[in-house]
Amino acid sequence: MTDASSIMGRIPAFLMAEKYCFYCPAIPIEYGHGAMELRHLRYFIAVAAEENVTRAATRLHISQPPLSRQLRDLEEELGFELFTRGPKSLKLTSAGKLFLVEASKILQTVDEALRVAQTLAGKQTAEIHVGYAPSLTIELLPMALRSFDTRCSGTQVRLYDLSTEEMLERLASESIDVALMIKPIASSLRGLEFRTLRKMAVCLAMHSAHPLAQTAEIGMAQICQERLVSYSKEDYPEYHQWLVKLFRKAGHVLKVGEEHDSSTSLIAAVESGRGVALVQEGFENLCGPRLKLRKLIPPPAPFVVGMAWRKGRMTKVLEHFLAAVNEVTSGKALRR
């Protein structure tokens, strides 16, 4: 069995140079014939995250055969297996797990060094790309951005109003750095870190003249008699899965009257009397007085809202952004 000490001597020395500020006994210092490149580490990390070469190839925008060859070449040069291979998936070996931790550190350090150098050279302005859902972040995001600006003045923030599926796709393709979103199902979080920010109670949204607007307590039995307006299943699959479970628990089959791809169109539909919608508390900050919201009794499990980002891709800018959001949710940020 390969142990940490026997892996020594197989990574290019430049990756362990003093400017990268770490010397890990688990990572070799020389690497075979000097053939390893940073892209080999990126390929390895992508496959480790996906546990499947086909999915990793799609994520990396390359074809599967060359990716498989690169992995085999990497293992041959290192002198040990990184994966155990099954019919449909790959699992990291003990040595592979060790190598993943240190390879991720190397890429993170190299990427951060490149960003810093480019910024200092005036070739690139530091920036962060943030995906978000307006209905979940209408209060949180403005305060977080103010807090972030005090930490990283001059850093450009690019915001993207996206559905859950779009955020997951862009995180996988590395076109956004972080997403503020409803927690998706576990399988969708493969290769991602997720940090819970807050839990939000479930509410029923209706137009102001709706009979239920005058009701103090609303339960699932009443909701099941109403025409339901929801977010589209294609863009918000986890929302539909949640709805199915909620109605099943109440002894009813989910029947959706109509679907909408954004909060704006959902609000318009409910306001016009086309049905009611199940949303999270705080939704009134988006719809204003146009709709009435009532919490459900007994309360279902709340919506879980948090931040997602790619494993092993932490940068100083992202670190400051996460800290700014945490500051807001912990109540430490000043309202200005």
Side-chain angles (χ1 to χ4, degrees):
M1 181 175 176
T2 305
D3 60 21
S5 61
S6 68
I7 304 176
M8 294 296 293
R10 301 171 192 158
I11 272 204
F14 83 89
L15 291 179
M16 303 302 293
E18 184 174 346
K19 67 178 179 178
Y20 293 114
C21 303
F22 63 88
Y23 297 84
C24 304
I27 289 288
I29 294 177
E30 282 177 19
Y31 168 70
H33 305 295
M36 183 188 289
E37 300 175 13
L38 289 176
R39 62 188 173 91
H40 294 110
L41 299 185
R42 296 192 193 280
Y43 292 168
F44 162 65
I45 290 171
V47 174
E50 297 293 340
E51 297 184 340
N52 181 279
V53 177
T54 302
R55 287 197 299 267
T58 300
R59 169 175 165 176
L60 293 165
H61 305 291
I62 61 176
S63 58
Q64 180 179 339
L67 179 56
S68 297
R69 285 197 300 273
Q70 296 281 358
L71 283 179
R72 289 292 187 186
D73 290 345
L74 179 59
E75 289 177 320
E76 184 178 340
E77 289 291 341
L78 289 172
F80 57 88
E81 289 191 342
L82 296 167
F83 298 97
T84 55
R85 290 164 170 82
K88 295 183 179 180
S89 65
L90 297 88
K91 298 292 183 182
L92 287 167
T93 62
S94 296
K97 291 177 181 178
L98 186 69
F99 191 75
L100 175 62
V101 172
E102 306 302 347
S104 298
K105 289 179 182 177
I106 289 172
L107 283 186
Q108 180 179 331
T109 303
V110 171
D111 288 346
E112 184 64 16
L114 179 61
R115 287 189 184 92
V116 172
Q118 288 178 328
T119 300
L120 290 175
K123 292 184 177 181
Q124 177 177 307
T125 301
E127 61 182 27
I128 185 169
H129 297 254
V130 181
Y132 71 102
S135 63
L136 304 174
T137 59
I138 190 167
E139 276 193 312
L140 183 154
L141 191 55
M143 288 190 289
L145 291 176
R146 285 196 293 269
S147 177
F148 176 71
D149 193 49
T150 64
R151 299 166 181 268
C152 291
S153 179
T155 300
Q156 289 188 3
V157 180
R158 300 188 182 276
L159 301 175
Y160 303 87
D161 178 349
L162 302 169
S163 69
T164 303
E165 282 299 283
E166 289 171 333
M167 282 190 264
L168 291 171
E169 289 171 4
R170 296 204 187 190
L171 282 170
S173 66
E174 303 192 11
S175 56
I176 61 173
D177 301 300
V178 62
L180 300 173
M181 63 196 303
I182 286 283
K183 186 176 184 179
I185 58 176
S187 60
S188 296
L189 288 173
R190 186 183 291 111
L192 300 176
E193 299 281 358
F194 185 89
R195 181 182 299 170
T196 297
L197 295 173
R198 57 176 57 165
K199 296 180 179 180
M200 308 174 86
V202 180
C203 296
L204 185 70
M206 68 209 87
H207 65 87
S208 56
H210 194 287
L212 289 179
Q214 310 306 318
T215 305
E217 295 186 358
I218 297 176
M220 285 302 300
Q222 295 158 290
I223 296 172
C224 290
Q225 305 302 314
E226 299 292 328
R227 186 174 190 267
L228 190 66
V229 176
S230 80
Y231 291 106
S232 68
K233 186 176 182 179
E234 180 180 357
D235 294 316
Y236 300 89
E238 80 295 331
Y239 175 80
H240 267 259
Q241 291 170 358
W242 172 79
L243 281 178
V244 169
K245 291 178 182 177
L246 184 65
F247 276 72
R248 184 186 297 147
K249 188 174 181 180
H252 294 266
V253 176
L254 173 66
K255 293 181 181 179
V256 176
E258 59 186 73
E259 298 182 3
H260 293 273
D261 63 359
S262 70
S263 296
T264 303
S265 56
L266 183 140
I267 291 170
V270 174
E271 184 183 21
S272 65
R274 297 186 59 80
V276 298
L278 287 166
V279 298
Q280 74 284 351
E281 66 176 320
F283 195 79
E284 64 271 16
N285 294 315
L286 190 64
C287 66
R290 297 165 62 186
L291 304 181
K292 295 291 185 182
L293 266 63
R294 295 288 184 271
K295 291 184 180 180
L296 274 59
I297 303 295
F303 291 103
V304 177
V305 179
M307 297 183 286
W309 65 94
R310 296 182 301 279
K311 287 182 178 178
R313 304 297 285 165
M314 182 64 67
T315 65
K316 288 295 183 184
V317 171
L318 178 55
E319 191 177 290
H320 284 306
F321 183 83
L322 299 183
V325 176
N326 283 332
E327 184 179 60
V328 173
T329 55
S330 67
K332 295 179 181 178
L334 296 175
R335 295 174 181 267
R336 292 179 294 191

